[in-house]
Amino acid sequence: AKSEAIVKKMDELGFDTFWSAEHHFQREGYECIPNLLLMYVHLANLTKNVKFGCGFNVNPMWHPLRLAEDYATADILTKGRVIFGVGRGYHSREVDTFGVPSTVIDSDANREVFEEQVEIMMKAFNQQFFSHQGKHYQIPPEVPYRGYTLKKISLVPRPINLPVETYQPIVSASQHAMDFMAKHGIKGIIGGGAATGGASDEVVKRWQETLAKHGKETELGGDLIIGIATYVDETEEKATNMGRRYFEENMKMFGPLGFVRGLSDQQITALSSGSAARSAGLPTMEDAVKSGAWIVGPTERITERLMQLQDRYPGLEEMNVGASAMSTEQSVILEQLDRFGKEVMPTFKNQAK
Protein backbone atom coordinates (compact mmCIF):
# COMPACT_ATOMS: atom_id res chain seq x y z
CA ALA A 1 0.00 0.00 0.00
CA LYS A 2 2.88 2.39 0.73
CA SER A 3 4.44 1.86 -2.69
CA GLU A 4 1.04 2.27 -4.34
CA ALA A 5 0.45 5.60 -2.59
CA ILE A 6 3.92 6.87 -3.50
CA VAL A 7 3.71 6.03 -7.21
CA LYS A 8 0.21 7.47 -7.52
CA LYS A 9 1.45 10.73 -6.00
CA MET A 10 4.51 10.76 -8.26
CA ASP A 11 2.36 10.12 -11.34
CA GLU A 12 -0.02 12.90 -10.36
CA LEU A 13 2.84 15.38 -9.91
CA GLY A 14 4.71 14.47 -13.09
CA PHE A 15 7.79 12.76 -11.67
CA ASP A 16 9.68 10.71 -14.25
CA THR A 17 10.74 7.51 -12.52
CA PHE A 18 10.14 5.61 -9.29
CA TRP A 19 13.24 3.64 -8.25
CA SER A 20 13.43 0.79 -5.77
CA ALA A 21 15.71 -2.15 -4.98
CA GLU A 22 15.44 -5.92 -4.90
CA HIS A 23 16.06 -7.45 -1.48
CA HIS A 24 15.19 -10.65 0.40
CA PHE A 25 14.72 -11.91 3.96
CA GLN A 26 14.74 -8.43 5.52
CA ARG A 27 12.82 -9.18 8.72
CA GLU A 28 13.94 -5.79 10.11
CA GLY A 29 11.22 -4.18 8.01
CA TYR A 30 13.30 -2.27 5.44
CA GLU A 31 13.95 -3.23 1.82
CA CYS A 32 11.13 -5.75 1.53
CA ILE A 33 10.60 -6.07 -2.24
CA PRO A 34 11.87 -9.45 -3.51
CA ASN A 35 10.69 -9.05 -7.12
CA LEU A 36 10.75 -5.58 -8.68
CA LEU A 37 9.43 -6.67 -12.06
CA LEU A 38 6.38 -8.38 -10.62
CA MET A 39 5.57 -5.35 -8.48
CA TYR A 40 6.13 -2.91 -11.34
CA VAL A 41 3.63 -4.64 -13.61
CA HIS A 42 1.07 -4.11 -10.85
CA LEU A 43 2.06 -0.48 -10.20
CA ALA A 44 2.00 0.34 -13.91
CA ASN A 45 -1.66 -0.65 -13.95
CA LEU A 46 -2.37 1.92 -11.22
CA THR A 47 -0.63 4.80 -13.00
CA LYS A 48 -0.45 6.44 -16.42
CA ASN A 49 2.98 7.87 -17.13
CA VAL A 50 5.53 7.36 -14.36
CA LYS A 51 8.29 4.89 -15.19
CA PHE A 52 9.74 2.29 -12.86
CA GLY A 53 13.47 1.87 -12.36
CA CYS A 54 15.10 -1.33 -11.16
CA GLY A 55 17.72 -0.09 -8.74
CA PHE A 56 18.70 -2.88 -8.87
CA ASN A 57 17.87 -6.43 -9.91
CA VAL A 58 20.59 -8.44 -8.14
CA ASN A 59 21.85 -10.76 -10.87
CA PRO A 60 23.57 -13.41 -8.73
CA MET A 61 20.23 -14.24 -7.10
CA TRP A 62 18.74 -15.10 -10.51
CA HIS A 63 19.36 -17.38 -13.44
CA PRO A 64 20.22 -14.83 -16.14
CA LEU A 65 17.68 -16.19 -18.62
CA ARG A 66 14.86 -16.09 -16.06
CA LEU A 67 15.70 -12.47 -15.31
CA ALA A 68 15.87 -11.64 -19.03
CA GLU A 69 12.51 -13.34 -19.66
CA ASP A 70 10.84 -11.57 -16.74
CA TYR A 71 12.16 -8.18 -17.82
CA ALA A 72 11.02 -8.74 -21.41
CA THR A 73 7.55 -9.69 -20.16
CA ALA A 74 7.37 -6.60 -17.94
CA ASP A 75 8.55 -4.42 -20.82
CA ILE A 76 5.70 -5.68 -22.97
CA LEU A 77 2.99 -5.56 -20.30
CA THR A 78 3.90 -2.02 -19.18
CA LYS A 79 4.50 -0.74 -22.72
CA GLY A 80 8.10 0.17 -22.00
CA ARG A 81 7.73 1.78 -18.60
CA VAL A 82 10.21 -0.44 -16.74
CA ILE A 83 13.92 0.49 -16.76
CA PHE A 84 16.33 -2.40 -16.32
CA GLY A 85 19.05 -2.34 -13.69
CA VAL A 86 21.75 -4.80 -12.67
CA GLY A 87 23.63 -5.13 -9.39
CA ARG A 88 26.10 -7.54 -7.80
CA GLY A 89 24.66 -7.91 -4.28
CA TYR A 90 26.28 -6.93 -0.98
CA HIS A 91 23.91 -8.51 1.59
CA SER A 92 25.54 -11.83 2.52
CA ARG A 93 22.28 -13.03 4.08
CA GLU A 94 20.60 -12.62 0.71
CA VAL A 95 23.09 -13.42 -2.02
CA ASP A 96 24.93 -16.27 -0.33
CA THR A 97 21.61 -17.90 0.59
CA PHE A 98 20.84 -18.08 -3.14
CA GLY A 99 24.12 -19.88 -3.78
CA VAL A 100 26.57 -17.24 -5.05
CA PRO A 101 29.07 -15.37 -2.84
CA SER A 102 28.11 -11.77 -2.09
CA THR A 103 30.60 -8.97 -2.63
CA VAL A 104 31.53 -8.96 1.07
CA ILE A 105 32.28 -12.72 1.15
CA ASP A 106 34.16 -13.14 -2.13
CA SER A 107 34.08 -10.07 -4.36
CA ASP A 108 36.11 -11.63 -7.17
CA ALA A 109 33.88 -14.71 -7.43
CA ASN A 110 30.78 -12.52 -7.28
CA ARG A 111 32.09 -10.28 -10.05
CA GLU A 112 32.93 -13.27 -12.23
CA VAL A 113 29.38 -14.65 -12.02
CA PHE A 114 27.78 -11.21 -12.39
CA GLU A 115 29.73 -10.32 -15.53
CA GLU A 116 29.01 -13.64 -17.20
CA GLN A 117 25.32 -13.21 -16.41
CA VAL A 118 25.27 -9.74 -17.96
CA GLU A 119 26.97 -11.11 -21.09
CA ILE A 120 24.24 -13.76 -21.38
CA MET A 121 21.37 -11.32 -20.86
CA MET A 122 22.72 -8.87 -23.43
CA LYS A 123 23.01 -11.69 -25.97
CA ALA A 124 19.47 -12.80 -25.15
CA PHE A 125 18.08 -9.29 -25.57
CA ASN A 126 19.93 -8.38 -28.75
CA GLN A 127 20.32 -11.60 -30.76
CA GLN A 128 17.46 -13.57 -32.25
CA PHE A 129 19.45 -16.77 -31.76
CA PHE A 130 22.37 -17.03 -29.37
CA SER A 131 24.63 -19.40 -27.48
CA HIS A 132 27.07 -18.96 -24.62
CA GLN A 133 29.98 -21.08 -23.49
CA GLY A 134 31.44 -19.78 -20.23
CA LYS A 135 32.83 -20.89 -16.90
CA HIS A 136 29.48 -20.92 -15.10
CA TYR A 137 26.93 -21.32 -17.90
CA GLN A 138 26.70 -23.50 -21.02
CA ILE A 139 23.70 -22.20 -22.97
CA PRO A 140 22.09 -24.13 -24.46
CA PRO A 141 23.28 -27.57 -23.41
CA GLU A 142 24.05 -29.72 -26.43
CA VAL A 143 21.18 -32.13 -25.97
CA PRO A 144 18.91 -33.86 -28.51
CA TYR A 145 15.69 -31.98 -29.14
CA ARG A 146 12.97 -32.91 -31.67
CA GLY A 147 15.40 -34.70 -33.97
CA TYR A 148 18.40 -32.36 -33.84
CA THR A 149 21.17 -31.36 -31.42
CA LEU A 150 20.52 -28.06 -29.70
CA LYS A 151 23.14 -25.45 -30.64
CA LYS A 152 21.38 -22.09 -30.20
CA ILE A 153 18.37 -20.78 -28.35
CA SER A 154 16.01 -17.77 -28.48
CA LEU A 155 14.63 -15.59 -25.69
CA VAL A 156 10.82 -15.67 -25.88
CA PRO A 157 9.52 -13.05 -25.55
CA ARG A 158 12.20 -10.49 -26.27
CA PRO A 159 11.80 -6.88 -25.12
CA ILE A 160 9.95 -4.60 -27.52
CA ASN A 161 12.26 -1.69 -26.69
CA LEU A 162 15.80 -2.34 -27.92
CA PRO A 163 18.52 -1.76 -26.97
CA VAL A 164 17.43 -2.26 -23.37
CA GLU A 165 18.19 0.83 -21.29
CA THR A 166 20.21 -0.54 -18.38
CA TYR A 167 21.68 1.02 -15.23
CA GLN A 168 24.28 -0.18 -12.73
CA PRO A 169 25.43 1.47 -9.49
CA ILE A 170 28.85 3.11 -9.45
CA VAL A 171 30.04 2.54 -5.89
CA SER A 172 33.73 1.57 -5.72
CA ALA A 173 34.20 3.23 -9.14
CA SER A 174 36.88 0.76 -10.23
CA GLN A 175 38.13 1.23 -13.76
CA HIS A 176 37.39 -2.41 -14.52
CA ALA A 177 33.72 -1.91 -13.63
CA MET A 178 33.46 1.27 -15.68
CA ASP A 179 35.00 -0.41 -18.72
CA PHE A 180 32.58 -3.32 -18.37
CA MET A 181 29.60 -0.95 -18.19
CA ALA A 182 30.74 1.08 -21.18
CA LYS A 183 31.35 -2.07 -23.23
CA HIS A 184 27.72 -3.11 -22.75
CA GLY A 185 26.17 0.35 -23.00
CA ILE A 186 25.17 0.33 -19.31
CA LYS A 187 24.53 3.71 -17.69
CA GLY A 188 25.55 4.59 -14.14
CA ILE A 189 23.89 5.76 -10.94
CA ILE A 190 26.00 7.49 -8.30
CA GLY A 191 24.62 8.06 -4.81
CA GLY A 192 21.10 7.55 -3.55
CA GLY A 193 19.71 4.49 -1.84
CA ALA A 194 22.36 2.62 0.11
CA ALA A 195 25.22 4.71 -1.26
CA THR A 196 25.95 7.72 0.90
CA GLY A 197 27.45 10.91 -0.45
CA GLY A 198 27.05 12.55 -3.81
CA ALA A 199 29.15 12.37 -6.94
CA SER A 200 32.84 13.29 -6.95
CA ASP A 201 34.26 15.27 -9.84
CA GLU A 202 37.03 12.70 -10.25
CA VAL A 203 34.60 9.81 -10.71
CA VAL A 204 32.32 11.75 -13.08
CA LYS A 205 35.31 12.87 -15.17
CA ARG A 206 36.72 9.35 -15.31
CA TRP A 207 33.31 8.02 -16.39
CA GLN A 208 33.25 10.56 -19.24
CA GLU A 209 36.76 9.49 -20.28
CA THR A 210 35.78 5.82 -20.13
CA LEU A 211 32.80 6.38 -22.40
CA ALA A 212 35.02 8.26 -24.86
CA LYS A 213 37.53 5.40 -24.83
CA HIS A 214 34.68 3.09 -25.85
CA GLY A 215 33.56 5.39 -28.65
CA LYS A 216 30.86 7.53 -27.01
CA GLU A 217 31.48 11.25 -26.59
CA THR A 218 29.37 12.91 -23.89
CA GLU A 219 29.32 16.09 -21.88
CA LEU A 220 30.40 15.78 -18.26
CA GLY A 221 27.64 13.89 -16.43
CA GLY A 222 26.31 12.12 -19.51
CA ASP A 223 24.83 8.61 -19.12
CA LEU A 224 24.62 9.17 -15.37
CA ILE A 225 21.97 9.64 -12.71
CA ILE A 226 23.15 11.30 -9.51
CA GLY A 227 21.25 10.60 -6.30
CA ILE A 228 20.67 13.32 -3.69
CA ALA A 229 18.60 13.15 -0.50
CA THR A 230 16.35 16.19 0.07
CA TYR A 231 14.13 17.59 2.78
CA VAL A 232 11.94 20.62 2.13
CA ASP A 233 11.00 22.91 5.01
CA GLU A 234 10.76 26.60 5.86
CA THR A 235 14.42 26.97 6.91
CA GLU A 236 17.61 24.96 6.57
CA GLU A 237 17.78 24.57 10.34
CA LYS A 238 14.25 23.20 10.57
CA ALA A 239 14.74 20.87 7.61
CA THR A 240 18.01 19.60 9.12
CA ASN A 241 16.32 18.84 12.42
CA MET A 242 13.32 17.20 10.76
CA GLY A 243 15.52 15.00 8.57
CA ARG A 244 17.94 14.04 11.33
CA ARG A 245 16.24 10.87 12.58
CA TYR A 246 15.82 9.56 9.03
CA PHE A 247 19.50 10.21 8.35
CA GLU A 248 20.48 8.43 11.57
CA GLU A 249 18.22 5.44 10.89
CA ASN A 250 19.68 5.20 7.39
CA MET A 251 23.20 5.17 8.88
CA LYS A 252 22.18 2.51 11.41
CA MET A 253 20.97 0.32 8.54
CA PHE A 254 23.80 0.84 6.05
CA GLY A 255 26.82 1.58 8.28
CA PRO A 256 27.39 -2.10 9.18
CA LEU A 257 27.17 -2.96 5.48
CA GLY A 258 30.07 -0.65 4.62
CA PHE A 259 28.10 2.10 2.93
CA VAL A 260 29.02 4.90 5.33
CA ARG A 261 32.56 5.91 4.50
CA GLY A 262 35.19 6.10 7.20
CA LEU A 263 33.41 4.37 10.09
CA SER A 264 35.65 2.45 12.50
CA ASP A 265 34.69 -0.94 13.93
CA GLN A 266 33.98 0.76 17.25
CA GLN A 267 31.64 3.26 15.60
CA ILE A 268 29.78 0.50 13.76
CA THR A 269 29.30 -1.35 17.04
CA ALA A 270 28.08 1.87 18.68
CA LEU A 271 25.40 2.36 16.03
CA SER A 272 23.18 -0.22 17.69
CA SER A 273 23.44 1.43 21.11
CA GLY A 274 21.76 4.78 21.62
CA SER A 275 23.95 5.88 24.54
CA ALA A 276 27.23 4.74 22.95
CA ALA A 277 26.27 6.22 19.57
CA ARG A 278 25.95 9.72 21.03
CA SER A 279 29.60 9.77 22.08
CA ALA A 280 31.10 7.76 19.22
CA GLY A 281 31.87 10.69 16.91
CA LEU A 282 29.52 9.41 14.21
CA PRO A 283 28.74 11.49 11.12
CA THR A 284 25.91 13.95 11.68
CA MET A 285 23.08 15.32 9.60
CA GLU A 286 25.00 18.60 9.53
CA ASP A 287 27.97 16.76 7.99
CA ALA A 288 25.70 15.30 5.31
CA VAL A 289 24.28 18.72 4.46
CA LYS A 290 27.74 20.29 4.35
CA SER A 291 29.07 17.56 2.03
CA GLY A 292 26.11 17.91 -0.35
CA ALA A 293 24.81 14.36 0.23
CA TRP A 294 21.62 15.97 1.58
CA ILE A 295 20.11 19.20 0.25
CA VAL A 296 17.68 20.68 2.74
CA GLY A 297 15.80 23.88 3.42
CA PRO A 298 13.28 26.09 1.63
CA THR A 299 12.43 25.34 -2.00
CA GLU A 300 14.48 28.29 -3.24
CA ARG A 301 17.64 26.90 -1.65
CA ILE A 302 17.02 23.37 -2.94
CA THR A 303 16.37 24.69 -6.45
CA GLU A 304 19.56 26.76 -6.30
CA ARG A 305 21.69 23.82 -5.15
CA LEU A 306 20.28 21.51 -7.82
CA MET A 307 20.93 24.20 -10.43
CA GLN A 308 24.55 24.31 -9.27
CA LEU A 309 24.80 20.55 -9.73
CA GLN A 310 23.32 20.88 -13.21
CA ASP A 311 25.84 23.58 -14.11
CA ARG A 312 28.67 21.48 -12.71
CA TYR A 313 27.69 18.50 -14.86
CA PRO A 314 26.14 19.84 -18.09
CA GLY A 315 25.54 16.35 -19.52
CA LEU A 316 23.42 15.34 -16.53
CA GLU A 317 19.81 14.77 -17.59
CA GLU A 318 18.37 13.04 -14.52
CA MET A 319 18.71 13.35 -10.77
CA ASN A 320 17.43 10.78 -8.32
CA VAL A 321 15.85 12.86 -5.58
CA GLY A 322 15.42 10.91 -2.35
CA ALA A 323 12.27 12.23 -0.71
CA SER A 324 12.50 9.36 1.76
CA ALA A 325 15.10 7.43 3.72
CA MET A 326 14.84 4.44 6.03
CA SER A 327 11.89 4.72 8.43
CA THR A 328 10.29 7.75 6.74
CA GLU A 329 6.55 7.64 7.36
CA GLN A 330 4.23 7.46 4.36
CA SER A 331 2.61 10.77 5.29
CA VAL A 332 6.01 12.50 5.34
CA ILE A 333 7.05 10.97 2.01
CA LEU A 334 3.83 12.12 0.34
CA GLU A 335 4.15 15.60 1.83
CA GLN A 336 7.77 15.89 0.69
CA LEU A 337 6.90 14.65 -2.80
CA ASP A 338 4.08 17.17 -2.98
CA ARG A 339 6.28 20.10 -1.98
CA PHE A 340 9.15 19.10 -4.24
CA GLY A 341 6.86 18.32 -7.16
CA LYS A 342 4.97 21.60 -6.96
CA GLU A 343 7.66 24.00 -5.74
CA VAL A 344 11.01 22.73 -7.07
CA MET A 345 10.42 20.43 -10.04
CA PRO A 346 8.61 22.91 -12.34
CA THR A 347 11.83 24.91 -12.75
CA PHE A 348 13.57 21.88 -14.24
CA LYS A 349 10.56 20.64 -16.19
CA ASN A 350 10.29 24.02 -17.90
CA GLN A 351 13.96 23.81 -18.94
CA ALA A 352 13.29 20.54 -20.72
CA LYS A 353 10.52 21.97 -22.89
Side-chain angles (χ1 to χ4, degrees), residues 57-301:
N57 302 298
V58 183
N59 294 23
M61 296 192 284
W62 290 77
H63 188 287
L65 293 183
R66 290 301 300 268
L67 181 53
E69 285 179 337
D70 281 12
Y71 172 75
T73 303
D75 182 55
I76 293 166
L77 292 176
T78 66
K79 296 180 172 59
R81 289 168 59 196
V82 176
I83 300 170
F84 196 50
V86 294
R88 292 175 54 191
Y90 55 88
H91 280 281
S92 55
R93 179 172 61 186
E94 300 182 18
V95 184
D96 292 80
T97 297
F98 279 100
V100 174
S102 59
T103 57
V104 298
I105 299 300
D106 190 336
S107 184
D108 290 342
N110 174 280
R111 179 188 299 108
E112 184 177 84
V113 172
F114 168 82
E115 291 185 352
E116 188 172 345
Q117 290 176 323
V118 171
E119 297 269 2
I120 292 167
M121 289 189 292
M122 293 302 175
K123 287 181 179 180
F125 288 150
N126 296 308
Q127 299 176 23
Q128 186 175 358
F129 299 97
F130 71 95
S131 63
H132 176 86
Q133 307 300 317
K135 179 177 180 180
H136 300 281
Y137 297 94
Q138 308 292 315
I139 299 174
E142 290 196 9
V143 294
Y145 180 72
R146 301 177 71 172
Y148 65 94
T149 299
L150 203 57
K151 297 288 188 181
K152 293 189 176 183
I153 203 165
S154 300
L155 188 72
V156 180
R158 291 171 67 205
I160 55 174
N161 296 286
L162 293 171
V164 172
E165 184 179 23
T166 306
Y167 282 86
Q168 183 177 332
I170 297 177
V171 181
S172 64
S174 72
Q175 189 57 50
H176 175 91
M178 287 190 179
D179 283 325
F180 180 81
M181 292 168 66
K183 171 186 173 183
H184 291 287
I186 299 171
K187 301 177 182 180
I189 297 183
I190 300 177
T196 58
S200 74
D201 289 343
E202 186 274 330
V203 170
V204 176
K205 180 62 177 174
R206 191 152 50 83
W207 173 245
Q208 181 190 37
E209 293 169 349
T210 301
L211 290 174
K213 182 173 68 175
H214 288 265
K216 186 170 186 179
E217 298 291 337
T218 63
E219 291 190 286
L220 195 63
D223 280 2
L224 279 180
I225 293 175
I226 293 177
I228 299 290
T230 62
Y231 200 97
V232 184
D233 216 317
E234 295 167 358
T235 67
E236 182 178 335
E237 181 181 12
K238 189 174 180 181
T240 299
N241 289 330
M242 291 296 292
R244 187 182 312 280
R245 68 187 178 98
Y246 308 124
F247 166 81
E248 291 175 351
E249 189 69 14
N250 203 65
M251 181 167 56
K252 190 187 301 182
M253 173 69 182
F254 290 115
L257 296 170
F259 281 91
V260 180
R261 298 173 189 146
L263 291 187
S264 66
D265 291 341
Q266 291 80 6
Q267 286 176 315
I268 291 172
T269 301
L271 279 170
S272 59
S273 171
S275 57
R278 285 190 285 274
S279 59
L282 293 165
T284 65
M285 180 66 173
E286 285 79 6
D287 295 331
V289 172
K290 185 177 180 180
S291 72
W294 280 66
I295 300 177
V296 303
T299 54
E300 297 81 8
R301 172 180 168 76

Side-chain angles (χ1 to χ4, degrees), residues 327-339:
S327 79
T328 309
E329 301 88 342
Q330 178 176 314
S331 60
V332 175
I333 295 173
L334 297 181
E335 182 262 342
Q336 286 294 307
L337 286 171
D338 200 66
R339 294 195 67 173

